[in-house]
Amino acid sequence: MPKISERAIEMPSSPIRKLVPLANAAKERGIKVYHLNIGQPDLASPGKGLEALKNIDRRVLEYSPSQGFKSYREKLVKYYESYNIHLSADDIIITTGGSEAVLFAFLSCLNPGDEIIIPEPSYANYIAFAISAGAKIRSIATTIEEGFSLPKVEKFEELINERTRAIMICNPNNPTGYLYTRREMNQIRDLVKKYDLYLFSDEVYREFIYTGSPYISACHLEGIEDNVVLIDSVSKRYSECGIRIGALITKNTEIRKAVMKFCQARLSPPLIGQIVAEASMEEPEDYSREVYDEYVERRKCLIDGLNRIPGCYSPIPMGAFYTVAKLPVDDAEKFCAWCLTDFNYEGETLMMAPAAGFYTTPGAGKNQVRIAYVLKKSDLERALFVLKKALEAYPGRVMD
Amino acid sequence: MPKISERAIEMPSSPIRKLVPLANAAKERGIKVYHLNIGQPDLASPGKGLEALKNIDRRVLEYSPSQGFKSYREKLVKYYESYNIHLSADDIIITTGGSEAVLFAFLSCLNPGDEIIIPEPSYANYIAFAISAGAKIRSIATTIEEGFSLPKVEKFEELINERTRAIMICNPNNPTGYLYTRREMNQIRDLVKKYDLYLFSDEVYREFIYTGSPYISACHLEGIEDNVVLIDSVSKRYSECGIRIGALITKNTEIRKAVMKFCQARLSPPLIGQIVAEASMEEPEDYSREVYDEYVERRKCLIDGLNRIPGCYSPIPMGAFYTVAKLPVDDAEKFCAWCLTDFNYEGETLMMAPAAGFYTTPGAGKNQVRIAYVLKKSDLERALFVLKKALEAYPGRVMD
């Protein structure tokens, strides 16, 4: 039997999805599982999108253009304009989710052995896409104690060498909920400029900023327009994770030409997803406001609740809908698995994502979990109660 | 400005899609373009699929499982059973089109520098996916004169070395329409066994075999069950190219585990596409029969018509809905571009895929084109007439 590839061996299992078999087994035993592990909002998708779906009257469900429909890209131009990001439709390439945008950005810009600097904890699948492209992630630590703020310039410069090709950020951040300040973004801009790096910026959570702080996009940074690749997706802003519609945006025509070759090879982004996403943009503003207000509530509920559980600590996330929290346990991965295999409280348990999978530094985040606040408040409250009970019962409990 | 990656430079532009800008420009000049370049059937998608689309009453368009819905995979088990391919639902992983299945197969099984033997001409995007994975394609020539039949074992063995890891076939073949015989498939099986290679087999055109010859799947070959990875897609059989639903199938649990890591990283195949594909399986048999009969007609119309044009030659394709034909021109790529930029007959022209892009051997297929017979008969007839007129007018005409 021939061997699988080295990259396949190196590929981590998704910390978000790896415990799914245990959750499924728990459900088969009749246990209710609160899913705090995954950024799958329970909020309705926009009515205009759902309506468009019902009204598709095509006879043939055919390929769409490799770069996505022009009408959709033109609407996106206006959308970004509202965030003071000035684009033309040609700057936008529609991808199969934000995931494909990251993969194609890496494949187009990075050679095997090239290094990307990413503040950790970071979205776990960046690691997977880097491995797919043969690139190497150099993590720069951010800590729960400092609220996951960006380390000083010197820390970045310590990591920069001749193989360094890019910095990647997620802003607002998944998994920490951190929002980079103007000062931090300028610091990144200066580094990108000084060392002529790519800046990959995943900004899929821009709708979800709760502190009144300004949203500084990588596209707002002057003088590095040709270095910036923006990663986007409608999954979160429209609660449409399943339609797999994202975008890769750059003013750099060389990158766009390169990315288009990968896009042509996979032929077409999803046809129906594009129709739904385009229609969702017509949704009245109430939708965004209600969704936003709902997350504000849930965030308060989760963070207050977590910080009231003895031994737990979560900073207050400024954006997105996650937090990385410290738990009073020996090993959060063991604890998360145990919650699914050995524990239930009145027939209920919860699933969280062990945070270690969001770090590349061995041992980092060992007693942390990522929690998504994508469930309704009553479910979140109940899940917090179940978490408290689980921590009381867990044999590996460790109090500071 | 940082440089794009070497693989992006190496990536070929799709021979199927690279002339699209020229076609668009022709259309903007008011010229009607017959699209013979792309395997996008004009036939209706199954009514059951279209109906399912209208009846989606989900509130949230959420992620589906990374390996695809179980209900859909279970239905696929029965589908394959009807082709005497015996699987369990666990053997099947749903992918974002057949494209993703090829990419994930390569990423999971091949290391950078590993070699794959592929009979050429071959589906052009295999080259793109091989480059994405850092693997190298070693082409083994098949010729129009021999009707694109498989070369002798010795020809394969000449290419096999310590870096050879796989053979890839497309059966029935895109672009040639060739169908491998039992003898040829057994020859491949013996090679795979002898050298312990992977066999990647793209069989998305199994519904379209016109000669009464038996369909021999890679999954029918005994003794190499752990070496076979089947690539599939509903794009062609249901005329649903735009829903982006394919499958990667293997009995090899190691490969499946590896592929699942890539699947988890991209989170989910398209939700709506799966719903449509699953429903399409309920379509009455009439659908398949009518589609089949239609292609039989079109094939006859195209091949007869081509072979009647002075200087043109096409073998008779046994399956799929393409043929590779020889044209009396100096350079088919130039000719195809010229048809879009400099020619029209009564306001009409045609777009074909230059066959050179389906070969990796430099200079091979220079006077050949791939033609898809996916248009209705009257359009095909007209396109053939326009082709005849174009060949008469083309300055680079070369008669044997």
Side-chain angles (χ1 to χ4, degrees), chain B residues 210-260:
Chain B
Y210 310 112
T211 53
S213 312
Y215 156 60
I216 314 290
S217 169
C219 293
H220 295 147
L221 305 176
E222 280 174 25
I224 57 165
E225 290 77 3
D226 272 341
N227 302 62
V228 168
V229 178
L230 188 73
I231 307 296
D232 209 351
S233 163
V234 302
S235 292
K236 312 300 173 172
R237 67 174 175 262
Y238 297 142
S239 193
E240 288 173 347
C241 298
I243 66 170
R244 312 310 298 130
I245 295 297
L248 183 152
I249 293 162
T250 180
K251 295 257 176 207
N252 183 318
T253 52
E254 287 306 303
I255 301 178
R256 287 210 308 270
K257 270 189 222 162
V259 169
M260 274 307 295

Side-chain angles (χ1 to χ4, degrees), chain B residues 116-138:
Chain B
I116 325 169
I117 298 176
I118 306 190
E120 77 171 359
S122 68
Y123 178 56
N125 292 325
Y126 298 155
I127 303 168
F129 298 126
I131 292 171
S132 299
K136 207 179 151 193
I137 287 190
R138 298 294 304 269

